[in-house]
């Protein structure tokens, strides 16, 4: 084994195979499971960000509304509690993706996204949610020469629409965070906040309970059916009869079966370092604590925590045949080794740092990489999904859209083309498996070939069907 590879392996030997954020003595206890039948105005299915924001916003809109939330395990245990903690204003999985898909309404989407982030910050303060919220901004960095022109073009396109995403040359970006791999960057100074994702979920849970939401954990939703003027949802020990149901299940199979072809469940992985000392921090700069991501197709995302650890995630994104979901997929040592090698290539000045935690988990993706919305059962069931790893902020917007749709309201949100249209569905197996595999291979080839996209990727671009993390 080469010395660099051996050093990366050694850095992992004491790592705990568990999400860092959830490994917290302040984790709240579970609420009792639902036992028997209940009736309510609104049933929310899913205790992640989408479900929690939906329940809380429903009570803010109408404090007298009777709201029940059910969660199959515990609040925040899945993607909402183990993500990177990047709370972005973007509703479109970044400016470039939004420009490619909704050029005529991108200015409006950006405005709504910035307002949504402001409102998240206000809610965190108003409800006293201790989640280390920092409005740090983010920098997308180029680590290959061909990415420099792509970033400059994105900066210029944003400026043409009146948004400031300043381009940083190599010296400027390395003055912010010092890595020999950084060649340029584009900064989003106010459009991203860093936070502790699990504590945000737990804080929203507390706010929901204080507002009068009834929460039942360890209560899975097994079947949904129309029942008279409302909807019934069967659980292991009872049923919930509701006037309306909001589905926030995201990567997990939707209770509305026709939604399932739009979603692919994939696994994403991350490492967390031990806390850095003052000399180690000085060696890399990073005084302004921005979130960072590189510009490859198989990209990394990384950030500092409140206690000066570095979270380093991304690169591999793994799909299992038949959209399989299993706990065994939450750990993947071969990915951790690759991530560790890449970490020390990015920050060679941190040689000798150890990783304290390794983890992975499920996220949802759709062919447009950003959320879609809709209703079923004659408008009594609402759903949103497809955040593709950028749902910490956008989930609140998704909750607002669901509530608008369930209320039959014509709002600035429901009038958006983004809200009124769906992504292209993924094909059935085995075509789905083969297509994802070819796409992943092609994306890796493009990264290695100066960004040149082969015939397969160009075809995917033309029809609007792709695969991203």
């Amino acid at each position: 084994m080469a010395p660099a590879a051996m050093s990366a392996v050694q850095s992992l030997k004491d790592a705990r195979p568990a999400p860092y954020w959830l490994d917290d003595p302040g984790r709240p206890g579970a609420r009792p499971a639902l036992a028997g039948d209940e009736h309510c105005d609104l049933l929310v299915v899913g205790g992640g960000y989408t479900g929690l924001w939906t329940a809380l916003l429903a009570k803010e809109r109408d404090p007298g509304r009777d709201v029940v939330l059910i969660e199959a395990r515990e609040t925040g245990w899945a993607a909402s509690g183990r993500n990177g903690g990047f709370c972005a204003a973007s509703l479109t999985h970044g400016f470039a993706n939004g420009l490619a898909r909704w050029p005529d309404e991108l200015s409006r989407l950006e405005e709504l996204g910035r307002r949504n982030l402001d409102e998240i910050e206000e809610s965190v303060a108003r409800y006293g949610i201790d989640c280390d919220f920092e409005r740090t901004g983010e920098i997308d960095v180029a680590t290959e020469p061909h990415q420099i022109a792509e970033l400059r073009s994105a900066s210029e396109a944003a400026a043409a629409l009146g948004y400031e995403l300043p381009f940083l040359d190599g010296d400027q970006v390395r003055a912010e965070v010092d890595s020999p791999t950084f060649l340029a960057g584009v900064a989003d100074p106010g459009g991203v906040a860093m936070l502790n994702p699990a504590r945000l979920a737990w804080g929203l849970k507390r706010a929901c309970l204080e507002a009068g939401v009834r929460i039942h954990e360890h209560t899975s939703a097994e079947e949904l059916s129309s029942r008279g003027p409302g909807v019934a949802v069967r659980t292991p020990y009872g049923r919930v009869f509701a006037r309306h149901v909001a589905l926030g299940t995201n990567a997990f199979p939707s209770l509305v079966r026709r939604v399932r072809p739009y979603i692919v469940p994939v696994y994403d992985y991350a490492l967390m370092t031990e806390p850095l000392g003052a000399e180690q921090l000085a060696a890399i700069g990073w005084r302004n604590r921005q979130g960072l991501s590189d510009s490859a197709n198989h990209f990394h995302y990384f950030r500092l925590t409140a206690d000066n650890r570095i979270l380093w995630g991304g690169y591999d994104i793994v799909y299992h045949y038949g959209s399989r979901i299993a706990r065994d997929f939450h750990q993947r040592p071969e990915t951790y080794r690759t991530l560790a090698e890449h970490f020390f290539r990015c920050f060679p000045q941190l040689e000798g740092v150890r990783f304290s935690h390794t983890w992975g988990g499920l996220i949802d993706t759709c062919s447009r990489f950003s959320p879609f919305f809709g209703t079923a059962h004659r408008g009594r069931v609402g759903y949103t999904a497809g955040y593709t790893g950028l749902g910490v902020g956008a989930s609140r917007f998704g909750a607002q859209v669901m509530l608008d749709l369930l209320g039959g309201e014509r709002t600035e949100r429901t009038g958006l083309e983004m809200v009124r249209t769906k992504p292209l569905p993924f094909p059935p197996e085995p075509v789905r498996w083969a297509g994802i595999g070819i796409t992943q291979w092609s994306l890796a080839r493009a990264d290695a070939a100066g960004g040149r996209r082969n015939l397969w990727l160009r075809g995917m671009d033309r029809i609007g069907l792709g695969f991203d993390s």
Side-chain angles (χ1 to χ4, degrees), residues 265-297:
V266 294
Y267 284 81
D268 185 39
Y269 297 90
L271 310 176
M272 186 71 83
T273 72
E274 62 191 356
L276 302 186
E279 291 185 5
Q280 292 168 320
L281 284 170
I284 58 172
W286 216 341
R287 291 174 298 278
N288 294 318
R289 305 179 62 81
Q290 306 97 326
L292 294 168
S293 64
D294 65 52
S295 302
N297 291 310

Side-chain angles (χ1 to χ4, degrees), residues 68-335:
V68 170
L69 183 151
I70 60 174
E71 162 56 44
R73 291 183 61 179
E74 293 184 24
T75 300
W77 76 274
S80 294
R82 59 184 178 221
N83 62 78
F86 287 63
C87 187
S90 177
L91 305 174
T92 61
H93 207 268
F95 186 87
N97 190 54
L99 184 62
R101 299 182 186 279
W102 302 287
D104 295 336
E105 66 181 25
L106 183 57
S107 291
R108 188 65 180 141
L109 288 168
E110 287 288 305
E111 179 185 341
L112 289 169
R114 301 273 168 160
R115 185 195 306 171
N116 182 63
L117 182 57
D118 290 341
E119 291 169 349
I120 291 173
E121 184 172 14
E122 188 274 332
S123 293
V124 165
R126 177 156 48 95
Y127 289 109
I129 298 174
D130 179 14
C131 63
D132 302 323
F133 189 100
E134 294 182 274
R135 196 77 171 259
T136 60
E138 183 179 8
I139 301 176
D140 292 331
V141 299
T143 56
E144 296 292 340
H146 72 272
Q147 297 165 3
I148 299 173
E150 294 170 3
L151 289 180
R152 190 184 297 276
S153 177
S155 176
E156 291 170 353
L161 289 176
Y163 291 93
E164 185 179 357
L165 299 178
F167 178 82
L168 308 177
D169 64 25
D171 289 339
Q172 289 173 317
V173 73
R174 288 191 296 272
E176 294 292 336
V177 185
D178 189 12
S179 167
T181 68
F182 293 173
L183 306 179
V186 165
D188 185 354
V192 182
M194 296 293 108
L195 52 77
N196 181 315
R199 289 187 181 178
L200 174 61
W202 300 335
L204 290 172
K205 174 184 175 179
R206 174 180 55 79
C208 284
L209 291 169
E210 290 174 352
V213 176
R214 290 177 283 152
I215 297 178
H216 296 284
E217 294 174 299
H218 297 290
T219 301
S220 58
E222 298 180 340
E223 184 182 46
L224 182 153
S225 59
S226 293
R227 185 64 59 92
V231 182
V233 172
R234 179 168 54 83
T235 75
Y237 304 133
R239 294 173 297 176
V240 183
F241 299 92
R243 292 177 57 197
H244 294 104
V245 174
L247 300 178
T249 50
N250 298 302
F252 296 95
S254 177
L255 291 174
V256 177
R257 296 187 67 87
R258 60 183 166 84
V259 175
R260 296 182 185 182
Y262 294 105
I263 290 294
V264 162
V266 294
Y267 284 81
D268 185 39
Y269 297 90
L271 310 176
M272 186 71 83
T273 72
E274 62 191 356
L276 302 186
E279 291 185 5
Q280 292 168 320
L281 284 170
I284 58 172
W286 216 341
R287 291 174 298 278
N288 294 318
R289 305 179 62 81
Q290 306 97 326
L292 294 168
S293 64
D294 65 52
S295 302
N297 291 310
H298 289 278
F299 65 91
H300 306 85
Y301 54 87
F302 40 118
R303 48 80 53 100
L304 287 170
T305 65
D307 60 348
N308 292 324
R309 301 169 185 263
I310 296 177
L311 180 146
W312 179 265
Y315 189 72
D316 277 345
I317 192 78
V318 181
Y319 172 74
H320 296 276
Y321 185 87
S323 297
R324 284 185 61 213
I325 296 172
R327 291 192 191 185
D328 289 347
F329 301 151
H330 289 186
Q331 293 292 321
R332 198 166 192 266
E334 59 267 44
T335 292

Side-chain angles (χ1 to χ4, degrees), residues 376-397:
H377 290 260
R378 291 178 289 178
R380 292 175 293 191
V381 175
Y383 59 83
T384 178
Y387 295 101
T388 316
L390 214 65
V392 180
S395 55
R396 182 183 181 278
F397 177 82

